[in-house]
Amino acid sequence: QVQLVESGGGLVQAGGSLRLSCAASGMLFSVNTMNWYRQAPGKQRELVAVITGGGTTNYSDSVKGRFTISRDNAKNTVYLQMNSLNSEDTAVYYCNANLYGKTYWGQGTQVTVSS
């Protein structure tokens, strides 16, 4: 059974940094593309960052240059390093994987940026 568990959210001042983690289990982690999404209050969930099994990354324009996605296949964990945070980054952040036609989500971790 696939499980994704996020951690690392919290309250941070504008300009600060946070690192989110997502621990995966029940899947062949190293070959799978992993995604980070976020959902702000009253807004649709949006794709923030992607990392393929080969390590290729892609980012939304809103976070490019500030966020970095990475993975540690030995720990079955994907990370999202978030720098220069601003109030627009306040959201619940979700880890996501799509396997064999199914979509899996973590429970989400809240990130709140105070101005």
Side-chain angles (χ1 to χ4, degrees), residues 38 46-49 58-65:
R38 68 184 181 187
E46 64 167 338
L47 179 62
V48 172
N58 205 355
Y59 301 92
S60 67
D61 287 343
S62 60
V63 307
K64 199 172 295 183

Side-chain angles (χ1 to χ4, degrees), residues 66-79:
R66 300 187 298 121
F67 290 13
T68 303
I69 189 171
S70 61
R71 65 193 300 156
D72 185 336
N73 291 335
K75 295 182 179 180
N76 283 9
T77 300
V78 60
Y79 303 98

Side-chain angles (χ1 to χ4, degrees), residues 36-105:
W36 282 101
Y37 283 77
R38 68 184 181 187
Q39 187 165 20
K43 294 188 177 181
Q44 288 190 329
R45 194 170 295 191
E46 64 167 338
L47 179 62
V48 172
V50 178
I51 186 165
T52 68
T56 300
T57 60
N58 205 355
Y59 301 92
S60 67
D61 287 343
S62 60
V63 307
K64 199 172 295 183
R66 300 187 298 121
F67 290 13
T68 303
I69 189 171
S70 61
R71 65 193 300 156
D72 185 336
N73 291 335
K75 295 182 179 180
N76 283 9
T77 300
V78 60
Y79 303 98
L80 187 67
Q81 177 66 44
M82 307 186 295
N83 299 328
S84 301
L85 286 161
N86 58 59
S87 58
E88 300 283 310
D89 299 315
T90 294
V92 179
Y93 284 72
Y94 297 92
C95 184
N96 164 274
N98 298 292
L99 308 170
Y100 311 115
K102 294 185 179 180
T103 297
Y104 298 92
W105 297 95

Side-chain angles (χ1 to χ4, degrees), residues 1-2 25-33 97-104:
Q1 181 178 356
V2 175
S25 59
M27 59 187 286
L28 188 56
F29 179 81
S30 62
V31 302
N32 282 291
T33 294
N98 298 292
L99 308 170
Y100 311 115
K102 294 185 179 180
T103 297
Y104 298 92

